[in-house]
Amino acid sequence: MAPMKIQSVGGVSHDLLPLALGALTLISLIWFGVSLWPKLRVLSRASGENRFDKPLIRLKNTLVIAFAQTRLFKDFKSGLMHALIFWGFLVLLLRAAQFFLMGFFPGWELRFPAFLPLDNLYTLTKDGFVFLVTAACLYGLFRRLVLRPSRLNLSFEGLLILLLILAIVVTDVLFDAAIFALHPESANPWSPLGLYLAQMGMQNLSPKTLTGVMVFSYWVHVLTILFFLNLLPRSKHFHVITSIPNVYFSSLGPGISKLHRIDVEDENKETFGVTQIEEFSWKGLLDLHTCTECGRCDSVCPALNSQKPLSPKQFTLDLRDHLNARTPQLVGTKKVSTGEDGPYPLVGPVIQDETIWSCTTCGACEQECPVTIEFINKIVDLRRGVVMMESRYPKELANAFKSLEVHQNPWGFNRDTRADWAKDLGIKIWDKDNPTEYLYFVGCSGSFDSRGKKISTAVANALKQAGIEFSILGKEEGCTGDPARRAGNEYLFDMLASKNAETFKEKGVQKIITHCPHCFNTLKKEYPDFGARLEVIHHSELLERLMREGKLNPGEKSKKNVVYHDSCYMGRHNDVYDAPRGILDRTVGDFQEPENTRERGTCCGAGGARFLLEEKTGTRMSHNRIDELMKTNPDTIAVSCPFCVLMLEDALKAKNLHESVKVLDVAEIIAET
């Protein structure tokens, strides 16, 4: 760092400078603390959630996501802009300390220790980032004022922050230049920006003018930093403080956040789900304070992009604004007048009913968020609140809930017919005294839906061909409860999951094959909460491995023009992308990827129990996805989820494309070859 000996700044003498700066700094810190304290108190009073496990993994995630800013680069230009500002902010923290220390201790030099001679290297790095941050801020202003992308809200605050950052970096260079012009002997070639400005633009100025520039630069620099500090707790830029902790405490993989279990048997529990803002966990509230309003979540939301009243960004902002409005009451600093003491319901007054029911829980918003905000658990918690506390939900769910409770499937089919699809296939029913290696958990679609049965048959035949020993539960299999849980009926989910988990234990089941990603996700990630710790594998994973090992030979590769559509619950929820593609590599040769693929694949619209609901607003999500897939001119759409098959086939029929384009599960593609 360039040494600086400043005897007075801004007309304040050597003796009074520390007092003046100290008074301003103390006032700013107190005001900052006063603004921050209520938010911390609300977080401390929120319900607990264990996010302190696996610290090394959390630290790694923080370094990769928060410090390396990896998620930002999905949108390269804006991502680079934000990353440069963030990295510059980290580098310039030491420079800010230098400005304050030279004011508190005039004449004192801030240097690295002698055994770590990094002064010149830091000075050069600092100047490099001053240049890059300046360029990034100018691009940010151009982007907001001229390009104006639809996912961004044009706000005075956003512009003000960019101008404040520009003020900090510009005054940094001006201060150096004034010092070098006043004292040429102190000019430092490792500070090229200040040196260039001093030699080319300020060398002919009078000492009085240069002193004025130095004074102006110093005070603008430190006052801007203090103003910026106090702006943070009062603005959306509070994320500058909360984003790194939020990333550290984010849900650990694989995939995105899992839902937490509610103890529905707890007699002391007065509410289930979330009906008021203070019922969210501390991590849920921290999420709300961390939103950067970048709108990346909106750009990938299938509900918003089909004109549903769900904007993940606005959903978060509405909850955050409500939290800020309620904070004085929650911490007891504001008395409420008679008749205003609650309750303060969220669904209805703050968040529309249709908003929470528009979500497919696909996870695209969570995958895209650069600060790892979790959306799905909030949506489901709000659904739990209205379903379990108010019995308020879309009318289509009434019959589904009843059927799940009585017949353990959402369509009301007789449970005794669950194994009828396998009557002529010679498939064993699980025998706990003579168990097979795998249990094939067929699921409701594969057991009852006419299209789903074809997929079950293809899976079973492929397993037989490879010599895999497997059985099914038959009528003892029940729905995993996924649609009930995603629809907010945690009590019904608990009943279904508990029964299945008990069946698995009684029969000694250890390994399970599924072909439904929703069953796969629930059994793998959520059933451990019920004591069922199973080895769960999706059929695409097992079949791809068998093909790789030479135990399943598909024959000649098909010459069909195939495009692959990712399942949300296989991909984003569980990070399984390569297995189905490995099958296609061995069966169809070159297959195509749509523009939105892998972690950015567009949802078909079935998840989150949406397959049970009508889409009455906007366009159908499945139609939007078909439009994307058809850009590759396929004759076959390959999938790995029975619900994707149903949704995409319906969309093809609606667009009169069903005779020329097929939707096939990867197991059916194996069968065809």
Side-chain angles (χ1 to χ4, degrees), residues 290-307:
T290 306
C291 181
T292 67
E293 300 186 26
C294 66
R296 291 165 186 261
C297 52
D298 279 1
S299 65
V300 295
C301 177
L304 182 64
N305 292 331
S306 58
Q307 299 83 50

Side-chain angles (χ1 to χ4, degrees), residues 61 71 74 251-257 362-363 367 520-521 524-525 540-541 566-581 598-599:
N61 288 347
R71 289 193 177 186
K74 292 179 181 180
S251 179
L252 300 180
I256 56 180
S257 60
C362 70
Q367 185 77 53
F520 172 74
N521 178 75
K524 183 176 182 178
K525 295 176 72 173
S540 64
E541 296 177 293
D566 283 285
S567 156
C568 302
Y569 272 78
M570 279 293 292
R572 283 186 290 266
H573 280 264
N574 287 281
D575 283 343
V576 179
Y577 295 103
D578 295 331
R581 288 172 170 80
R598 298 183 77 93
E599 70 271 11

